[in-house]
Amino acid sequence: MSHALTSLPGRAAALTPVLPVVAVPALLALPLTPDGAGPADVVSGLAVVYCVLRLLRERRRPLSPVAAMVLGLPVVGLALAAMGASSPQAGLTGLGRYLQIFVLVPAAVLLLIRDRAGFRLVAWSFVGLALWQGAVGVHQYVTRTGASYQGENIRAVGTFGPHDVMGMAMVVSLGLVCAAGIALGPASVRQRAAAAGCALALLLPLALSFSRGAWISTALACAVQLALTGLRRALKVAAAAVAAGVILVGGFGVGTALLQQRIDSIAQVTDAPDQSVVDRYTLWASATGMWRQQPLTGVGMKGFPEYRDRHATLALSSGSEIAGAGTAYQRQPLLSPHNMYLLLLSEQGLVGLLALAGSWLALLVCGLRRLLRVRDRGPGLDCALVGCGLLIWLLTDFVYGDIGGPSTVLTAVALGLVAWWALAGDRRVDGVPRGGVRERVEEAVAR
């Protein structure tokens, strides 16, 4: 007990560097300004500056050679795409955004998280944000004040509004994946029960987001998390999740008809697709056309909107319709292919796609390797499940969406969590190796 008490100041000091990271999801809970801006992006930039200042003060080596190579790999493709942009302004703006999301913020998160306690704090901040946005979304559905869907203002979008209609779905999904990883880990019974309750509660707002891509990505990520913990536990948890879904949707009749229609539409993408699916296929074809035009370097950063109509067919509509959630009816232009891989391929060519995808693949391999190392022995299984689950969710969701909107900054923080587990999960912390006195105390307190 005395060891635990004396370690509390040290643990609090270890958590201090990670507070700027926690501030990013905390600020995403605030409503957006009328122009759609939010403070979370600004704070993510300040977190990078804060990280640099701490490194200079502590005279620590920024990154290991492997981490620097993995996180720095996308810079090559990004620089080439920026040079090939139609204007210097477009090139610099696009380069800054990509560096923020895929390089700078993930690296800062990796460096500011000092131990597993810091990792768990950030993961719980994801869960807290998801619960808040999910509660707002459910309220929107119940009171019919959400975004327009099938002529009714019932789509749950949280505080992000119809302009970032996927924002709440992404936040809730990532929070659910974090909660599932914590629930399946070696924490205390109380923590695991709380995480499991949060995961089940988030199923409802996820369903009411009517986001097919988020459903598929979350189902796959959670299925992989369960499979990695053992078949018996996977079957038990899957049965509980199905029972909860039956109660929420079947027992209470939560959007039964509309949800069934939306689920059925997943299998009808080739039979009788709706206009959104037609638009998506047309945009995908347009992106591949741009890639064929410039296979190595693409058409340049932020070049998709300019070249879209040259490669699109007449099946493409003039834009998507948005309304509700405090926004008057308007048409929103389709400025991206809604597929991250095709966006990279069209604007950055094979060089940009292979650089970014290679970085993600390296993170996945390193993360899974370390997960298998701690699955049967050693602490940190919950961190492993959260890190790998987040990356699997992102890689799957990138098939159905790309970056854009205020919620995108959460992608950067999630990649930072992934990078910490994959690249720094077993490093020395403050001179104490993993498995030392401090780590044993930390695990004892967690239990």
Side-chain angles (χ1 to χ4, degrees):
M1 185 66 174
S2 60
H3 287 295
L5 289 176
T6 56
S7 70
L8 288 179
R11 293 183 65 207
L15 290 177
T16 301
V18 85
L19 293 182
V21 179
V22 175
V24 175
L27 290 173
L28 281 175
L30 301 177
L32 300 176
T33 58
D35 59 355
D41 272 301
V42 177
V43 171
S44 70
L46 294 177
V48 174
V49 175
Y50 173 74
C51 177
V52 172
L53 294 177
R54 285 193 67 94
L55 290 175
L56 293 175
R57 189 185 69 179
E58 298 172 0
R59 298 180 180 179
R60 288 200 300 128
R61 185 176 64 181
L63 294 170
S64 68
V66 174
M69 182 182 67
V70 171
L71 293 178
L73 184 60
V75 176
V76 177
L78 296 177
L80 288 175
M83 289 188 293
S86 58
S87 68
Q89 180 181 1
L92 291 175
T93 303
L95 178 63
R97 185 61 165 168
Y98 273 94
L99 288 176
Q100 175 200 10
I101 301 303
F102 297 113
V103 180
L104 297 178
V105 174
V109 173
L110 184 157
L111 292 167
L112 291 174
I113 295 177
R114 299 300 177 86
D115 53 24
R116 289 187 291 272
F119 184 101
R120 290 167 184 140
L121 180 61
V122 179
W124 274 111
S125 72
F126 273 52
V127 178
L129 173 63
L131 289 172
W132 165 248
Q133 292 288 354
V136 174
V138 172
H139 178 266
Q140 290 171 334
Y141 176 85
V142 173
T143 59
R144 296 181 177 272
T145 56
S148 178
Y149 179 79
Q150 300 284 334
E152 301 180 71
N153 295 337
I154 58 172
R155 187 168 190 174
V157 292
T159 63
F160 297 103
H163 290 282
D164 190 11
V165 72
M166 302 301 300
M168 191 213 75
M170 185 188 77
V171 166
V172 170
S173 299
L174 295 180
L176 198 157
V177 171
C178 288
I182 296 171
L184 295 170
S188 65
V189 175
R190 182 179 301 177
Q191 289 188 52
R192 285 188 283 118
C198 292
L200 292 176
L202 291 173
L203 290 174
L204 178 57
L206 178 61
L208 297 180
S209 70
F210 295 101
S211 172
R212 293 169 292 199
W215 294 346
I216 295 172
S217 303
T218 306
L220 180 60
C222 291
V224 172
Q225 285 178 316
L226 286 170
L228 290 172
T229 60
L231 180 60
R232 180 177 298 180
R233 175 180 284 188
L235 292 176
K236 290 181 180 179
V237 176
V242 171
V246 170
I247 293 173
L248 289 173
V249 178
F252 294 110
V254 178
T256 306
L258 290 174
L259 282 175
Q260 186 61 50
Q261 180 183 6
R262 191 67 166 173
I263 293 171
D264 292 341
S265 69
I266 297 176
Q268 295 173 353
V269 292
T270 57
D271 244 355
D274 56 31
Q275 185 58 46
S276 66
V277 176
V278 172
D279 286 340
R280 183 160 300 187
Y281 281 169
T282 307
L283 291 169
W284 289 3
S286 182
T288 56
M290 297 178 201
W291 168 65
R292 292 189 187 97
Q293 177 182 336
Q294 296 286 341
L296 287 180
T297 58
V299 296
M301 196 76 74
K302 288 186 172 291
F304 184 87
E306 180 182 349
Y307 288 86
R308 181 198 64 185
D309 292 340
R310 303 183 192 181
H311 301 276
T313 66
L314 295 177
L316 182 65
S317 65
S318 60
S320 59
E321 300 177 343
I322 63 171
T327 301
Y329 172 84
Q330 56 185 280
R331 295 191 69 84
Q332 188 172 10
L334 302 172
L335 302 179
S336 73
H338 296 286
N339 181 303
M340 191 65 205
Y341 305 107
L342 290 178
L343 178 62
L344 292 171
L345 196 63
S346 61
E347 293 188 345
Q348 302 179 33
L350 281 173
V351 175
L353 176 63
L354 293 178
L356 256 176
S359 175
W360 299 335
L361 181 61
L363 289 175
L364 182 62
V365 171
C366 293
L368 289 175
R369 184 181 63 183
R370 297 195 175 188
L371 185 151
L372 295 175
R373 188 183 303 165
V374 303
R375 183 172 60 176
D376 299 323
R377 63 185 185 278
L381 179 59
D382 54 341
C383 300
L385 293 172
V386 169
C388 293
L390 288 175
L391 183 56
I392 291 170
W393 190 94
L394 290 171
L395 295 181
T396 306
D397 186 70
F398 282 162
V399 177
Y400 307 97
D402 47 50
I403 60 173
S407 60
T408 300
V409 69
L410 200 65
T411 300
V413 180
L415 285 172
L417 289 175
V418 173
W420 184 86
W421 172 253
L423 304 174
D426 62 350
R427 68 179 177 181
R428 297 168 65 92
V429 177
D430 295 338
V432 181
R434 291 289 175 185
V437 174
R438 176 176 172 178
E439 289 296 306
R440 290 198 297 269
V441 170
E442 176 190 325
E443 293 303 318
V445 173
R447 287 184 171 87

